[in-house]
Amino acid sequence: MAEHLIGGLTLARVLHVHGIPATVYEAEPTPTARAQGGMLDIRDHNGQPALQAADLIEEFRGLVLEGRQAARALAPDGTVLLDEPDDGTGGRPEVMRGELRRMLLDSLPAGAVRWGHKVSGARALGDGRHEVTFADGTSVVTSLLVGADGAWSRVRPLLSDATPEYVGMSFIETYLFDADTRHAATAKAVGVGAMYALAPGKAIQAHRETGGTLHAYVALRKPQDWFAGIDFTDSPAATARIAQEFDGWATELTVLITDCDIAPVLRPLNTLPAAHRWDRVPGVTLLGDAAHLMPPSGEGANLAMYDGAELGKAIAAHPDDIEAALAEYEQALFPRSAAEAADAAHLHELMFGDNAPHGLLEFFAGGEQA
């Protein structure tokens, strides 16, 4: 069992490839209940090997949006500091999150995903068995429970007392639609891929999606109390207050805040301890953000998929000894997660620390990509 995220679906698919049935319990009522916005760069060292293990790499290649690995960095006044085209050799092709999720869903047998099952709690029954209770009052008992249920996992307390902590920064998510026509200067500033306009403690980041859509994440290093003082149900007032923090920045950048076509969405950034680990508990484990929540680095979905694939392969290799499979999986998971968490914290500092934007420019100059 796994509560659904992309990592949980990857696990279910890898198990299915090996002839092992699994059920995914998902809180959302239907596959189309919520827009699955955003793009994911699926990386050649973790996300793509996971899809290979899931026997979906060819289908994945059909979803790739060409040219989206391009990257630009702009100064607050709009001056171009970096303009790196997509030459086709990059190792992180971009796909729409919703299309990747649909591909994984379509690869599972009918009934493998149980929609409308929001987990309210889980308890150990002994002998590696667990009872999972859902918000509608129903429950299920399982001999293998995998928490793929994100930052605020209801399964994690079975293994760990760790809880996510605020990193001191939040993102505000915005969209501009039909930007090439309606906001030509901003569309040009963003370019065909990703755009970063960074300063210490703040940033405007955007990505070109499909159909002239620009998807932005505005970053501000502020305490949660500061954001609590903004009424996000009053979109004009909220965007005006956020835009104040970027006073003097180029209009083609601040339009991503002031003219957004959706109500701005506050996304506080939280993290688990970088070295988060737990002692082996029979019949249960974690993957993805439930196991290793970290600041955004472009690796989150990739790591969840990789976790899912590695766990699926371990179970397939030890079908009659689940404990051996879980021990093998966790032995590799913990050091991998700690290293990725350290990299994410380092990238966060390069992008938003006191040396911004120069840290990120040096990062790109070293041949790496954010």
Side-chain angles (χ1 to χ4, degrees), residues 311-322:
L311 177 54
K313 290 193 295 185
I315 293 168
H318 305 279
D320 301 319
D321 190 347
I322 288 297

Side-chain angles (χ1 to χ4, degrees), residues 98-181:
E99 293 189 4
L100 183 73
R101 192 182 85 144
R102 191 179 312 113
M103 178 189 77
L104 286 163
L105 285 169
D106 290 348
S107 76
L108 295 174
V113 179
R114 305 280 174 87
W115 300 95
H117 283 72
K118 182 178 176 61
V119 173
S120 56
R123 67 187 183 101
L125 299 176
D127 297 323
R129 294 160 67 249
H130 292 84
E131 180 185 50
V132 180
T133 307
F134 303 103
D136 65 2
T138 62
S139 64
V140 65
V141 174
T142 178
S143 57
L144 171 58
L145 172 61
V146 180
D149 49 343
W152 306 101
S153 171
R154 299 288 187 150
V155 177
R156 187 192 299 127
L158 294 169
L159 293 159
S160 164
D161 294 331
T163 54
E165 292 192 359
Y166 183 58
V167 303
M169 172 170 270
S170 292
F171 285 175
I172 300 94
E173 186 179 10
T174 72
Y175 278 91
L176 291 185
F177 302 129
D178 196 17
D180 295 310
T181 304

Side-chain angles (χ1 to χ4, degrees), residues 20-95:
I20 301 169
T23 304
V24 181
Y25 292 89
E26 163 55 26
E28 290 178 14
T30 69
T32 56
R34 184 171 60 90
Q36 299 294 318
M39 293 199 344
L40 296 173
D41 49 348
I42 305 302
R43 306 192 171 193
D44 54 11
H45 62 283
N46 45 26
Q48 290 180 50
L51 290 172
Q52 198 93 45
D55 197 19
L56 291 171
I57 198 73
E58 291 307 319
E59 289 91 333
F60 159 74
R61 290 190 178 119
L63 303 180
V64 170
L65 296 170
E66 297 301 328
R68 295 307 198 282
Q69 293 184 68
R72 300 181 56 134
L74 272 56
D77 67 0
T79 303
V80 177
L81 304 174
L82 171 88
D83 193 352
E84 194 170 88
D86 180 355
D87 63 3
T89 65
R92 43 177 201 90
E94 300 269 1
V95 298

Side-chain angles (χ1 to χ4, degrees), residues 39 65 68 96 99 177-178 207-214:
M39 293 199 344
L65 296 170
R68 295 307 198 282
M96 295 300 293
E99 293 189 4
F177 302 129
D178 196 17
H207 215 134
R208 179 178 289 269
E209 294 184 354
T210 51
T213 295
L214 302 181

